[in-house]
Amino acid sequence: MILVTGANGQIGQVLTKRLRQLHGADNVLASDITKLDNYTEKFEFLDILNKHRLNEVIGDHKITQVYHLAAILSASGEWNPKKTWNVNLNGLLTMLTLAVDHKLEKVFFPSTIAVFGNTTPRINTPQHVPLLPETVYGMSKATGENWCNYFNKRYDLDVRSLRYPGIIGYQSLPGGGTTDYAVEIFYAALRGEEYTCFLNEDTRLPMMYMADALRGTTDLMEAPKESIQIRSSYNLAAMSFSPIEITREIQKHIPDFKVKFEPDFRQEIASSWTESIDDSFARSHWGWNHEYDLEKMVKDMLENVTI
Ligand code: NAD
Ligand code: AKB
């Protein structure tokens, strides 16, 4: 049985469905601190900070693999740094410890481009760079990567991880991140409204379409153990664009669409991240490749977002 934590989130909702298609609905258990309305599939309430309950869920459901998505993202994280550290880092440590105790086959941990900081090379950011993140979210994920590597080396835990860029999809809404504008902008465009972007027009960030993120995740988890040579977290890339570049791409389909730029505290976070990522290790070690660029992603979003 596969356990997904944080399954109500932007990625969790879509990844859980995908895992159910791949492994059968009865073999995937969704969990989160709240339940989505009208949710009828297998679900357990689970606060990742409740070790006793997590231990029970893993034992009772005979869990063999975990996709540990539960976290507080970059922008929300800054409102409560200690809680963010606790959920993101201590939650992960509990999960890794129980994974060893229960001899789980595999654990997936999503890291992020937020592990990079102002001292990181901004263009084509290499896999191995000093990590000095500016947000507590980035700090918790960078430290989490190290713990994953440690648990692999020390306890032979098969833990695998990706540094996701900003994820864009039509199936679910983002929750408290700095890259959320790249999803919100489609809803404004399709409603015929002007969009107020909280980043500067020229802030380029690495992004990825949900379909690619899902495939990258399942391919990583299915890859032979020997091919996973990086046990902290793999750089992963697809496209990079700025708010003005995505605006122009949407305007090719909706010429009247207008955007104004009113940067808020999230601008400082975005400015500390990198512009583009070198993901050649992911490509050579386990065959990663992306399918969606900016043009293809925008077209698909405009066809599929429901307002
Ligand atoms: P999200 O904020 O949409 O969802 C996170 C989920 O975690 C929420 O449903 C929330 O209720 C749950 N959660 C929070 N605290 C919890 C707790 N104490 N116990 C159990 N569940 C709790 O996030 P997302 O965008 O779906 O991201 C999923 C994972 O991927 C996160 O770990 C995030 O850091 C990572 N990630 C996401 C992106 C992105 O662009 N979406 C990019 C990089 C990395
Ligand atoms: C965020 O903006 O916090 C996330 C991420 C890139 O980790 N989307």
Side-chain angles (χ1 to χ4, degrees):
M1 175 79 71
I2 295 173
L3 172 67
V4 183
T5 70
N8 289 354
Q10 184 200 8
I11 297 175
Q13 287 182 47
V14 197
L15 181 62
T16 303
K17 257 192 197 149
R18 181 79 192 114
L19 291 172
R20 286 187 168 135
Q21 284 164 355
L22 290 173
H23 302 279
D26 285 346
N27 297 321
V28 180
L29 176 67
S31 71
D32 207 303
I33 42 177
T34 55
K35 195 170 176 182
L36 295 172
D37 291 345
N38 305 323
Y39 199 83
T40 53
E41 310 282 353
K42 259 181 189 276
F43 180 89
E44 286 281 357
F45 286 99
L46 177 61
D47 183 335
I48 197 62
L49 296 176
N50 187 340
K51 185 172 180 181
H52 177 74
R53 176 93 186 103
L54 179 57
N55 189 40
E56 244 173 33
V57 167
I58 293 177
D60 290 353
H61 291 274
K62 300 188 170 44
I63 299 297
T64 52
Q65 293 188 24
V66 174
Y67 289 72
H68 178 54
L69 307 183
I72 298 174
L73 273 62
S74 60
S76 304
E78 292 305 289
W79 297 113
N80 197 337
K82 284 188 181 155
K83 181 177 174 196
T84 303
W85 179 262
N86 204 18
V87 171
N88 294 6
L89 200 267
N90 293 332
L92 170 69
L93 267 177
T94 303
M95 181 59 85
L96 294 174
T97 306
L98 290 177
V100 173
D101 293 351
H102 286 266
K103 300 185 173 48
L104 298 193
E105 287 164 11
K106 285 179 210 168
V107 176
F108 174 72
F109 169 64
S111 188
T112 162
I113 52 165
V115 297
F116 303 127
N118 287 321
T119 57
T120 308
R122 286 190 59 76
I123 313 286
N124 218 18
T125 304
Q127 172 70 44
H128 300 295
V129 284
L131 302 179
L132 196 58
E134 298 291 319
T135 58
V136 68
Y137 171 66
M139 284 159 53
S140 66
K141 291 287 184 172
T143 311
E145 288 185 5
N146 284 329
W147 275 111
C148 288
N149 188 49
Y150 182 83
F151 268 73
N152 173 260
K153 302 288 180 300
R154 172 102 195 238
Y155 305 109
D156 198 27
L157 179 66
D158 190 356
V159 51
R160 306 176 180 203
S161 174
L162 299 172
R163 289 174 179 157
Y164 287 140
I167 305 299
I168 300 162
Y170 59 84
Q171 304 93 328
S172 53
L173 293 171
T178 303
T179 57
D180 294 9
Y181 90 86
V183 177
E184 292 170 3
I185 196 168
F186 288 98
Y187 288 82
L190 287 165
R191 286 191 186 115
E193 293 166 1
E194 181 176 28
Y195 179 63
T196 305
C197 182
F198 55 77
L199 298 185
N200 279 330
E201 63 173 49
D202 55 359
T203 307
R204 296 190 96 230
L205 290 172
M207 300 278 187
M208 181 174 290
Y209 202 38
M210 182 68 82
D212 277 338
L214 295 188
R215 196 167 40 76
T217 307
T218 52
D219 282 358
L220 174 85
M221 291 300 275
E222 294 309 319
K225 200 172 171 182
E226 321 75 69
S227 63
I228 310 300
Q229 295 168 41
I230 293 176
R231 293 296 183 158
S232 52
S233 189
Y234 276 98
N235 275 7
L236 198 73
M239 62 185 112
S240 291
F241 58 78
S242 65
I244 195 70
E245 286 167 334
I246 189 174
T247 301
R248 290 195 183 118
E249 194 57 43
I250 294 173
Q251 284 168 339
K252 288 183 188 165
H253 303 264
I254 307 176
D256 291 342
F257 179 47
K258 289 192 176 46
V259 177
K260 62 180 176 195
F261 301 93
E262 291 181 3
D264 64 16
F265 73 101
R266 288 169 281 194
Q267 178 59 46
E268 207 176 319
I269 299 176
S271 300
S272 74
W273 294 351
T274 63
E275 271 193 46
S276 56
I277 306 286
D278 173 1
D279 62 353
S280 44
F281 284 116
R283 288 175 194 266
S284 69
H285 290 181
W286 49 274
W288 160 246
N289 60 72
H290 70 281
E291 192 188 324
Y292 285 84
D293 58 12
L294 176 61
E295 189 183 342
K296 197 169 169 189
M297 176 275 287
V298 166
K299 186 169 175 296
D300 208 63
M301 281 293 280
L302 291 173
E303 283 169 7
N304 285 292
V305 165
T306 47
I307 51 170

